[in-house]
Amino acid sequence: MRGAGWLLWGTCLVPLFLLSKSYATVGVSPFYVMDVVAVFALLATLRMWGPQAFSERRLRWFRAVAVGLAVMTVQAVYRGVAAGYPDAIKGVILGFYPLLGWFAATWVLTRPVEEAVRLRWVLYVPTVGVVAELFLGTPLPAAATGLYLAIAGAFSVQMRHLGNSRLLLWTLAGAALMTAIASKRGPLLAVVAAMAATALASRSSRRRTARWPVLSWSLATLGVIAVLGFSLSGDSVSDMPVVGGLAARVSRSHDPNTEAGANVELRMEMWQEALRVVREDPLLGAGAAHPIDVIGHGEHLNAPRAGPHNSFIGYIYYLGWPAGIAMALLVVATLRRTWRARHHLAAASWFGATVGVAVTACTNVAFETTYIGLPSWLVLACAYALVGVPEEREAADGAPPAASTSRAGRSVVGAGRPQRTSPILPARS
């Protein structure tokens, strides 16, 4: 059944990273093929993780938040259906994906690291999806593609530390292609933030030499020379290969009459409107799929089914302030746990991947939509479980905590095995 579990997870995530929304929305809302495959993967391995689901101490607080969000989602969906909101049933994702993350992380804690390492090739798939989009013209949402590349990028930096740069160069090529295809600021920011956060966390004060974690000096120098040469040629910045469209978009961000500027203003208005509406029922929220009607420049800029484009505000808006605060604190706790375990490269990668997810969540519906929500919750759950460092075991000088033995007899560090990786995002080459 172990092989069946890995096969089903691969069937769930490989097409998702490759086709994004085109695969994630196959089915009848809110029951999608991707979710059905994930559930079957968990059912196939139930005998392994089931006995530990409620007893695993490393997931105690994650479990509490996941159950709380599921309970709050029930009432939110019921109210949304009763009010006739569009796609209210789809709101079950708000509570369903946290549960999937909890179960999946519990299962990962029962597996030896060798099983996950064999699946490290999955991290190459997001760039394959970008290449397919380039040649086949298959539309991929930029936010989703950016999230997938951010996750892969976080682990590619760690592999670079281990002497293997193939995934790093492959992911950087994917990020460049993504920027050329869709000149969006947010997705590229998520990739850069994830890789930079991993590089920052990987720097240990005990290391005598520092290695350039992302690009070699030769590539960086060639890039600077290319930019200077293009600038001196007199051509417009918007005509620059790959990054020209992005540079033009950034330069127009202050102009409300352009798409780039309107998007910034629109998001601010949507967030303000969401927080205003939720004041009417701060404990239970506005209900699942409650539309946000924002009017700007004389036109309805927001699609009637779109959320507030901020997952932290989205949970507050749909489920109420208690649920939104709990979800935000869970992200903060995950970042704190992985940062405290940063002396281990795997922990640094999980920290970077979580940063990438959090950046995406600030400007998109990262935690409550199909093609972004599942990988986001899986990253958050696995990062929270695998590299947490309990306060009482952290050394006073900042050195890595001493190893201890888990109940199953396997070596762990702190509250998680730093060399372990998830079946989805293996952390070493």
Side-chain angles (χ1 to χ4, degrees):
M1 299 308 290
R2 287 184 303 176
W6 291 117
L7 177 62
L8 288 168
W9 274 118
T11 305
C12 173
L13 293 171
V14 170
L16 176 64
F17 289 163
L18 188 63
L19 302 174
S20 188
K21 186 178 181 180
S22 300
Y23 171 67
T25 55
V26 173
V28 180
S29 177
F31 304 105
Y32 302 103
V33 171
M34 177 189 69
D35 298 326
V36 172
V37 175
V39 170
F40 273 112
L42 292 171
L43 291 177
T45 56
L46 181 62
R47 293 179 59 184
M48 302 174 192
W49 61 266
Q52 292 184 229
F54 289 92
S55 60
E56 177 55 64
R57 296 183 60 189
R58 284 167 285 188
L59 282 165
R60 178 177 54 184
W61 293 112
F62 191 99
R63 178 171 62 242
V65 172
V67 172
L69 292 178
V71 172
M72 294 298 293
T73 299
V74 172
Q75 62 83 23
V77 171
Y78 175 80
R79 292 166 58 209
V81 172
Y85 297 146
D87 281 345
I89 294 293
K90 189 178 178 180
V92 299
I93 293 173
L94 295 166
F96 179 60
Y97 282 167
L99 294 179
L100 282 184
W102 162 32
F103 297 149
T106 307
W107 176 56
V108 169
L109 287 171
T110 68
R111 300 293 87 219
V113 66
E114 292 77 11
E115 291 186 9
V117 170
R118 298 191 190 101
L119 295 181
R120 62 184 179 272
W121 59 269
V122 174
L123 295 172
Y124 290 84
V125 177
T127 296
V128 176
V130 178
V131 174
E133 178 187 9
L134 177 64
F135 288 101
L136 302 178
T138 305
L140 295 178
T145 306
L147 175 70
Y148 308 154
L149 290 172
I151 296 170
F155 287 89
S156 71
V157 173
Q158 181 219 7
M159 291 184 181
R160 171 69 177 86
H161 277 293
L162 298 176
N164 187 345
S165 299
R166 286 176 298 179
L167 177 60
L168 175 61
L169 296 176
W170 182 247
T171 305
L172 288 173
L177 289 175
M178 177 190 69
T179 306
I181 296 173
S183 300
K184 304 290 185 179
R185 297 157 297 194
L188 183 61
L189 176 61
V191 177
V192 173
M195 300 177 76
T198 304
L200 177 64
S202 299
R203 292 177 62 89
S204 173
S205 60
R206 299 186 304 156
R207 292 180 185 152
R208 297 181 181 179
T209 59
R211 299 175 61 182
W212 187 251
V214 178
L215 283 174
S216 66
W217 285 111
S218 58
L219 287 178
T221 303
L222 288 175
V224 172
I225 292 175
V227 172
L228 290 176
F230 189 86
S231 301
L232 295 175
S233 67
D235 294 331
S236 172
V237 176
S238 61
D239 296 330
M240 185 181 298
V242 181
V243 297
L246 180 66
R249 188 179 183 88
V250 172
S251 66
R252 294 193 296 265
S253 297
H254 65 280
D255 186 357
N257 295 319
T258 63
E259 180 189 4
N263 280 345
V264 175
E265 184 176 350
L266 171 63
R267 277 174 167 77
M268 297 298 295
E269 292 182 9
M270 291 166 63
W271 299 344
Q272 294 174 4
E273 177 66 12
L275 295 177
R276 186 196 67 78
V277 171
V278 82
R279 283 201 297 266
E280 300 176 3
D281 198 340
L283 294 180
L284 299 179
H290 191 293
I292 300 179
D293 191 17
V294 176
I295 301 177
H297 309 292
E299 298 179 356
H300 291 264
L301 298 181
N302 186 31
R305 297 184 179 184
H309 287 274
N310 184 311
S311 283
F312 301 105
I313 294 178
Y315 269 83
I316 295 172
Y317 178 60
Y318 295 124
L319 306 185
W321 277 97
I325 292 174
M327 182 265 193
L329 290 178
L330 186 62
V331 174
V332 172
T334 304
L335 291 171
R336 179 173 179 267
R337 289 161 72 94
T338 49
W339 176 259
R340 293 173 68 191
R342 66 189 180 277
H343 305 284
H344 306 282
L345 291 179
S349 293
W350 284 115
F351 175 79
T354 305
V355 168
V357 169
V359 169
T360 304
C362 287
T363 57
N364 287 280
V365 286
F367 284 102
E368 67 265 27
T369 194
T370 53
Y371 46 93
I372 309 181
L374 183 59
S376 295
W377 277 110
L378 290 177
V379 166
L380 193 65
C382 291
Y384 186 94
L386 295 179
V387 291
V389 180
E391 187 173 342
E392 63 272 13
R393 291 188 179 181
E394 187 177 28
D397 60 356
S404 63
T405 303
S406 67
R407 290 189 301 272
R410 289 191 289 264
S411 175
V412 299
V413 174
R417 288 172 290 218
Q419 297 302 320
R420 284 193 57 107
T421 57
S422 82
I424 308 101
L425 302 170
R428 31 175 229 201
S429 60

